[in-house]
Short mmCIF file of all heavy atoms in Angstrom, two decimals:
data_model
loop_
_atom_site.label_atom_id
_atom_site.label_comp_id
_atom_site.label_asym_id
_atom_site.label_seq_id
_atom_site.Cartn_x
_atom_site.Cartn_y
_atom_site.Cartn_z
N GLU A 290 -30.90 -16.58 -2.81
CA GLU A 290 -31.82 -16.78 -3.93
C GLU A 290 -32.97 -17.71 -3.51
O GLU A 290 -32.73 -18.82 -3.04
CB GLU A 290 -31.08 -17.34 -5.13
CG GLU A 290 -30.02 -16.38 -5.67
CD GLU A 290 -29.42 -16.85 -6.98
OE1 GLU A 290 -29.80 -17.96 -7.44
OE2 GLU A 290 -28.57 -16.13 -7.53
N ILE A 291 -34.19 -17.24 -3.71
CA ILE A 291 -35.38 -18.03 -3.39
C ILE A 291 -36.34 -17.97 -4.57
O ILE A 291 -36.22 -17.10 -5.44
CB ILE A 291 -36.08 -17.53 -2.11
CG1 ILE A 291 -36.54 -16.07 -2.28
CG2 ILE A 291 -35.16 -17.65 -0.89
CD1 ILE A 291 -37.35 -15.54 -1.11
N THR A 292 -37.30 -18.87 -4.58
CA THR A 292 -38.29 -18.87 -5.65
C THR A 292 -39.43 -17.93 -5.31
O THR A 292 -39.57 -17.48 -4.16
CB THR A 292 -38.85 -20.29 -5.87
OG1 THR A 292 -39.59 -20.68 -4.70
CG2 THR A 292 -37.73 -21.28 -6.13
N LEU A 293 -40.27 -17.64 -6.32
CA LEU A 293 -41.44 -16.81 -6.09
C LEU A 293 -42.38 -17.48 -5.09
O LEU A 293 -42.95 -16.83 -4.21
CB LEU A 293 -42.16 -16.55 -7.41
CG LEU A 293 -43.44 -15.72 -7.34
CD1 LEU A 293 -43.18 -14.35 -6.72
CD2 LEU A 293 -44.07 -15.59 -8.72
N ALA A 294 -42.50 -18.80 -5.20
CA ALA A 294 -43.36 -19.54 -4.27
C ALA A 294 -42.84 -19.41 -2.84
O ALA A 294 -43.62 -19.24 -1.89
CB ALA A 294 -43.44 -21.00 -4.69
N GLU A 295 -41.49 -19.48 -2.67
CA GLU A 295 -40.91 -19.35 -1.33
C GLU A 295 -41.12 -17.95 -0.77
O GLU A 295 -41.33 -17.77 0.43
CB GLU A 295 -39.43 -19.71 -1.36
CG GLU A 295 -39.16 -21.20 -1.55
CD GLU A 295 -37.68 -21.51 -1.66
OE1 GLU A 295 -36.94 -20.69 -2.26
OE2 GLU A 295 -37.24 -22.56 -1.15
N SER A 296 -41.03 -16.94 -1.64
CA SER A 296 -41.21 -15.57 -1.16
C SER A 296 -42.63 -15.33 -0.68
O SER A 296 -42.86 -14.53 0.24
CB SER A 296 -40.85 -14.57 -2.27
OG SER A 296 -41.84 -14.56 -3.27
N LEU A 297 -43.61 -16.04 -1.28
CA LEU A 297 -45.02 -15.85 -0.93
C LEU A 297 -45.47 -16.82 0.16
O LEU A 297 -46.30 -16.45 1.01
CB LEU A 297 -45.90 -16.03 -2.17
CG LEU A 297 -45.66 -15.05 -3.32
CD1 LEU A 297 -46.51 -15.43 -4.52
CD2 LEU A 297 -45.95 -13.62 -2.89
N CYS A 298 -44.93 -18.04 0.14
CA CYS A 298 -45.46 -19.09 1.02
C CYS A 298 -44.53 -19.50 2.15
O CYS A 298 -44.90 -20.35 2.97
CB CYS A 298 -45.80 -20.32 0.17
SG CYS A 298 -46.95 -19.99 -1.19
N GLY A 299 -43.31 -18.94 2.18
CA GLY A 299 -42.36 -19.32 3.22
C GLY A 299 -41.57 -20.55 2.85
O GLY A 299 -41.86 -21.24 1.86
N PHE A 300 -40.56 -20.89 3.63
CA PHE A 300 -39.71 -22.04 3.36
C PHE A 300 -38.89 -22.36 4.60
O PHE A 300 -38.80 -21.56 5.54
CB PHE A 300 -38.78 -21.77 2.17
CG PHE A 300 -37.83 -20.61 2.41
CD1 PHE A 300 -36.57 -20.81 2.96
CD2 PHE A 300 -38.21 -19.31 2.12
CE1 PHE A 300 -35.71 -19.76 3.19
CE2 PHE A 300 -37.36 -18.24 2.35
CZ PHE A 300 -36.11 -18.46 2.89
N SER A 301 -38.26 -23.53 4.61
CA SER A 301 -37.33 -23.93 5.66
C SER A 301 -36.28 -24.83 5.02
O SER A 301 -36.54 -26.01 4.76
CB SER A 301 -38.07 -24.67 6.79
OG SER A 301 -37.15 -25.05 7.81
N ARG A 302 -35.08 -24.25 4.75
CA ARG A 302 -34.04 -25.02 4.05
C ARG A 302 -32.69 -24.34 4.21
O ARG A 302 -32.58 -23.21 4.71
CB ARG A 302 -34.39 -25.16 2.58
CG ARG A 302 -34.38 -23.82 1.80
CD ARG A 302 -34.62 -24.08 0.32
NE ARG A 302 -34.72 -22.84 -0.46
CZ ARG A 302 -33.67 -22.20 -0.98
NH1 ARG A 302 -32.44 -22.64 -0.78
NH2 ARG A 302 -33.87 -21.09 -1.69
N VAL A 303 -31.64 -25.03 3.75
CA VAL A 303 -30.29 -24.45 3.70
C VAL A 303 -30.21 -23.51 2.51
O VAL A 303 -30.51 -23.90 1.38
CB VAL A 303 -29.22 -25.56 3.58
CG1 VAL A 303 -27.84 -24.94 3.35
CG2 VAL A 303 -29.20 -26.43 4.83
N VAL A 304 -29.84 -22.27 2.76
CA VAL A 304 -29.85 -21.27 1.70
C VAL A 304 -28.46 -21.03 1.09
O VAL A 304 -28.34 -20.52 -0.02
CB VAL A 304 -30.44 -19.94 2.21
CG1 VAL A 304 -31.91 -20.10 2.53
CG2 VAL A 304 -29.67 -19.41 3.40
N LEU A 305 -27.38 -21.36 1.84
CA LEU A 305 -26.03 -21.24 1.28
C LEU A 305 -25.04 -22.01 2.16
O LEU A 305 -25.33 -22.35 3.32
CB LEU A 305 -25.58 -19.79 1.14
CG LEU A 305 -25.00 -19.05 2.34
CD1 LEU A 305 -24.30 -17.79 1.88
CD2 LEU A 305 -26.09 -18.69 3.34
N GLN A 306 -23.86 -22.26 1.60
CA GLN A 306 -22.79 -22.93 2.33
C GLN A 306 -21.80 -21.89 2.83
O GLN A 306 -21.33 -21.04 2.06
CB GLN A 306 -22.07 -23.94 1.43
CG GLN A 306 -21.08 -24.83 2.16
CD GLN A 306 -20.44 -25.85 1.23
OE1 GLN A 306 -20.05 -25.53 0.12
NE2 GLN A 306 -20.35 -27.10 1.70
N HIS A 307 -21.48 -21.95 4.13
CA HIS A 307 -20.59 -20.95 4.73
C HIS A 307 -19.13 -21.23 4.37
O HIS A 307 -18.80 -22.24 3.75
CB HIS A 307 -20.77 -20.94 6.26
CG HIS A 307 -20.62 -19.57 6.85
ND1 HIS A 307 -19.56 -18.74 6.54
CD2 HIS A 307 -21.38 -18.87 7.74
CE1 HIS A 307 -19.68 -17.61 7.21
NE2 HIS A 307 -20.80 -17.66 7.95
N LEU A 308 -18.25 -20.34 4.78
CA LEU A 308 -16.83 -20.43 4.43
C LEU A 308 -16.14 -21.63 5.06
O LEU A 308 -15.09 -22.06 4.58
CB LEU A 308 -16.12 -19.13 4.84
CG LEU A 308 -16.53 -17.89 4.05
CD1 LEU A 308 -16.05 -16.62 4.74
CD2 LEU A 308 -15.99 -17.95 2.62
N ASP A 309 -16.69 -22.16 6.14
CA ASP A 309 -16.09 -23.34 6.77
C ASP A 309 -16.81 -24.62 6.35
O ASP A 309 -16.58 -25.69 6.93
CB ASP A 309 -16.11 -23.20 8.29
CG ASP A 309 -17.51 -22.99 8.84
OD1 ASP A 309 -18.46 -22.92 8.04
OD2 ASP A 309 -17.65 -22.88 10.07
N GLY A 310 -17.68 -24.55 5.34
CA GLY A 310 -18.37 -25.72 4.84
C GLY A 310 -19.73 -25.99 5.46
O GLY A 310 -20.47 -26.85 4.98
N ARG A 311 -20.10 -25.29 6.52
CA ARG A 311 -21.40 -25.50 7.16
C ARG A 311 -22.52 -24.97 6.28
O ARG A 311 -22.36 -23.96 5.58
CB ARG A 311 -21.47 -24.76 8.50
CG ARG A 311 -20.59 -25.32 9.59
CD ARG A 311 -20.73 -24.48 10.88
NE ARG A 311 -20.31 -23.10 10.68
CZ ARG A 311 -21.10 -22.05 10.79
NH1 ARG A 311 -22.39 -22.22 11.10
NH2 ARG A 311 -20.65 -20.82 10.61
N GLY A 312 -23.68 -25.63 6.34
CA GLY A 312 -24.86 -25.10 5.67
C GLY A 312 -25.58 -24.13 6.58
O GLY A 312 -25.73 -24.36 7.78
N VAL A 313 -25.99 -23.01 6.02
CA VAL A 313 -26.75 -22.00 6.77
C VAL A 313 -28.24 -22.23 6.50
O VAL A 313 -28.69 -22.07 5.36
CB VAL A 313 -26.33 -20.58 6.39
CG1 VAL A 313 -27.19 -19.55 7.11
CG2 VAL A 313 -24.86 -20.35 6.71
N HIS A 314 -28.99 -22.63 7.53
CA HIS A 314 -30.40 -22.99 7.39
C HIS A 314 -31.28 -21.82 7.82
O HIS A 314 -31.08 -21.23 8.87
CB HIS A 314 -30.71 -24.23 8.24
CG HIS A 314 -32.06 -24.81 8.01
ND1 HIS A 314 -33.22 -24.26 8.51
CD2 HIS A 314 -32.44 -25.91 7.30
CE1 HIS A 314 -34.25 -24.98 8.15
NE2 HIS A 314 -33.82 -26.01 7.41
N ILE A 315 -32.24 -21.48 6.98
CA ILE A 315 -33.18 -20.39 7.26
C ILE A 315 -34.60 -20.94 7.24
O ILE A 315 -34.98 -21.69 6.34
CB ILE A 315 -33.06 -19.26 6.22
CG1 ILE A 315 -31.72 -18.54 6.35
CG2 ILE A 315 -34.20 -18.25 6.36
CD1 ILE A 315 -31.58 -17.68 7.57
N THR A 316 -35.40 -20.58 8.25
CA THR A 316 -36.82 -20.88 8.26
C THR A 316 -37.59 -19.57 8.23
O THR A 316 -37.44 -18.73 9.12
CB THR A 316 -37.21 -21.67 9.52
OG1 THR A 316 -36.53 -22.93 9.52
CG2 THR A 316 -38.71 -21.92 9.55
N HIS A 317 -38.39 -19.40 7.18
CA HIS A 317 -39.19 -18.18 7.05
C HIS A 317 -40.66 -18.57 6.99
O HIS A 317 -41.06 -19.36 6.13
CB HIS A 317 -38.80 -17.40 5.79
CG HIS A 317 -39.37 -16.02 5.75
ND1 HIS A 317 -38.87 -14.98 6.50
CD2 HIS A 317 -40.43 -15.51 5.06
CE1 HIS A 317 -39.56 -13.89 6.27
NE2 HIS A 317 -40.53 -14.19 5.40
N PRO A 318 -41.46 -18.05 7.89
CA PRO A 318 -42.87 -18.50 7.98
C PRO A 318 -43.70 -18.03 6.80
O PRO A 318 -43.47 -16.95 6.24
CB PRO A 318 -43.35 -17.87 9.28
CG PRO A 318 -42.49 -16.65 9.45
CD PRO A 318 -41.15 -17.01 8.89
N ARG A 319 -44.70 -18.83 6.43
CA ARG A 319 -45.61 -18.40 5.39
C ARG A 319 -46.54 -17.32 5.95
O ARG A 319 -46.80 -17.26 7.15
CB ARG A 319 -46.42 -19.57 4.87
CG ARG A 319 -47.17 -20.36 5.89
CD ARG A 319 -47.83 -21.56 5.23
NE ARG A 319 -48.45 -22.44 6.22
CZ ARG A 319 -49.09 -23.54 5.88
NH1 ARG A 319 -49.18 -23.89 4.60
NH2 ARG A 319 -49.64 -24.29 6.81
N GLY A 320 -47.00 -16.50 5.05
CA GLY A 320 -47.82 -15.37 5.47
C GLY A 320 -47.01 -14.11 5.66
O GLY A 320 -47.55 -13.01 5.74
N LYS A 321 -45.66 -14.25 5.72
CA LYS A 321 -44.78 -13.09 5.85
C LYS A 321 -43.93 -13.03 4.57
O LYS A 321 -42.98 -13.78 4.41
CB LYS A 321 -43.89 -13.22 7.09
CG LYS A 321 -43.20 -11.93 7.47
CD LYS A 321 -42.50 -12.07 8.80
CE LYS A 321 -41.86 -10.76 9.22
NZ LYS A 321 -41.15 -10.88 10.51
N ILE A 322 -44.32 -12.16 3.67
CA ILE A 322 -43.75 -12.16 2.32
C ILE A 322 -42.34 -11.57 2.32
O ILE A 322 -42.06 -10.56 2.97
CB ILE A 322 -44.66 -11.35 1.37
CG1 ILE A 322 -46.03 -12.02 1.27
CG2 ILE A 322 -44.03 -11.21 -0.01
CD1 ILE A 322 -47.03 -11.25 0.46
N LEU A 323 -41.43 -12.23 1.59
CA LEU A 323 -40.09 -11.70 1.33
C LEU A 323 -40.10 -11.01 -0.02
O LEU A 323 -40.58 -11.56 -1.02
CB LEU A 323 -39.06 -12.83 1.32
CG LEU A 323 -38.63 -13.37 2.69
CD1 LEU A 323 -37.69 -14.55 2.51
CD2 LEU A 323 -37.95 -12.28 3.51
N ARG A 324 -39.56 -9.79 -0.06
CA ARG A 324 -39.60 -8.98 -1.28
C ARG A 324 -38.20 -8.83 -1.87
O ARG A 324 -37.21 -8.87 -1.14
CB ARG A 324 -40.21 -7.61 -0.98
CG ARG A 324 -41.69 -7.71 -0.58
CD ARG A 324 -42.22 -6.42 0.00
NE ARG A 324 -43.66 -6.49 0.22
CZ ARG A 324 -44.21 -7.09 1.28
NH1 ARG A 324 -43.44 -7.64 2.22
NH2 ARG A 324 -45.54 -7.12 1.41
N PRO A 325 -38.09 -8.62 -3.19
CA PRO A 325 -36.78 -8.42 -3.81
C PRO A 325 -36.02 -7.27 -3.17
O PRO A 325 -36.59 -6.20 -2.91
CB PRO A 325 -37.12 -8.12 -5.27
CG PRO A 325 -38.48 -8.71 -5.47
CD PRO A 325 -39.20 -8.56 -4.17
N GLY A 326 -34.74 -7.48 -2.89
CA GLY A 326 -33.92 -6.43 -2.28
C GLY A 326 -34.00 -6.37 -0.78
O GLY A 326 -33.23 -5.64 -0.14
N GLN A 327 -34.91 -7.12 -0.17
CA GLN A 327 -34.99 -7.16 1.30
C GLN A 327 -33.73 -7.80 1.86
O GLN A 327 -33.11 -8.66 1.22
CB GLN A 327 -36.23 -7.93 1.72
CG GLN A 327 -36.59 -7.83 3.20
CD GLN A 327 -37.95 -8.46 3.51
OE1 GLN A 327 -38.77 -8.63 2.60
NE2 GLN A 327 -38.17 -8.81 4.75
N VAL A 328 -33.32 -7.41 3.04
CA VAL A 328 -32.08 -7.90 3.65
C VAL A 328 -32.39 -8.57 4.98
O VAL A 328 -33.08 -7.98 5.83
CB VAL A 328 -31.06 -6.76 3.85
CG1 VAL A 328 -29.79 -7.30 4.53
CG2 VAL A 328 -30.70 -6.12 2.51
N LEU A 329 -31.89 -9.78 5.16
CA LEU A 329 -31.98 -10.49 6.44
C LEU A 329 -30.62 -10.43 7.13
O LEU A 329 -29.59 -10.67 6.50
CB LEU A 329 -32.38 -11.95 6.22
CG LEU A 329 -33.63 -12.22 5.38
CD1 LEU A 329 -33.91 -13.72 5.35
CD2 LEU A 329 -34.82 -11.47 5.93
N LYS A 330 -30.61 -10.12 8.40
CA LYS A 330 -29.37 -10.05 9.17
C LYS A 330 -29.28 -11.24 10.11
O LYS A 330 -30.17 -11.49 10.92
CB LYS A 330 -29.33 -8.74 9.98
CG LYS A 330 -28.10 -8.61 10.87
CD LYS A 330 -28.15 -7.28 11.63
CE LYS A 330 -27.00 -7.15 12.61
NZ LYS A 330 -27.06 -5.87 13.36
N VAL A 331 -28.18 -12.00 10.00
CA VAL A 331 -27.94 -13.15 10.87
C VAL A 331 -26.78 -12.79 11.79
O VAL A 331 -25.62 -12.71 11.35
CB VAL A 331 -27.60 -14.41 10.05
CG1 VAL A 331 -27.46 -15.62 10.98
CG2 VAL A 331 -28.67 -14.66 9.00
N GLU A 332 -27.07 -12.54 13.03
CA GLU A 332 -26.02 -12.10 13.96
C GLU A 332 -25.07 -13.25 14.28
O GLU A 332 -25.48 -14.41 14.42
CB GLU A 332 -26.65 -11.57 15.25
CG GLU A 332 -27.47 -10.31 15.05
CD GLU A 332 -27.99 -9.74 16.36
OE1 GLU A 332 -27.71 -10.36 17.42
OE2 GLU A 332 -28.67 -8.69 16.33
N GLY A 333 -23.79 -12.90 14.38
CA GLY A 333 -22.78 -13.87 14.79
C GLY A 333 -22.36 -14.85 13.72
O GLY A 333 -21.69 -15.85 14.02
N GLU A 334 -22.69 -14.60 12.45
CA GLU A 334 -22.27 -15.51 11.38
C GLU A 334 -21.37 -14.80 10.36
O GLU A 334 -21.23 -15.24 9.23
CB GLU A 334 -23.49 -16.10 10.66
CG GLU A 334 -24.19 -17.20 11.43
CD GLU A 334 -23.31 -18.45 11.59
OE1 GLU A 334 -22.27 -18.56 10.91
OE2 GLU A 334 -23.67 -19.32 12.41
#
Side-chain angles (χ1 to χ4, degrees):
E290 296 188 358
I291 61 175
T292 66
L293 178 58
E295 288 176 324
S296 72
L297 299 175
C298 304
F300 61 91
S301 180
R302 66 175 176 87
V303 172
V304 294
L305 83 164
Q306 189 177 44
H307 214 312
L308 293 166
D309 57 358
R311 291 179 299 117
V313 176
H314 189 284
I315 292 289
T316 297
H317 192 76
R319 55 185 174 179
K321 194 172 183 181
I322 297 175
L323 283 176
R324 294 168 173 80
Q327 191 172 339
V328 178
L329 307 183
K330 177 180 176 181
V331 184
E332 295 185 359
E334 283 294 348

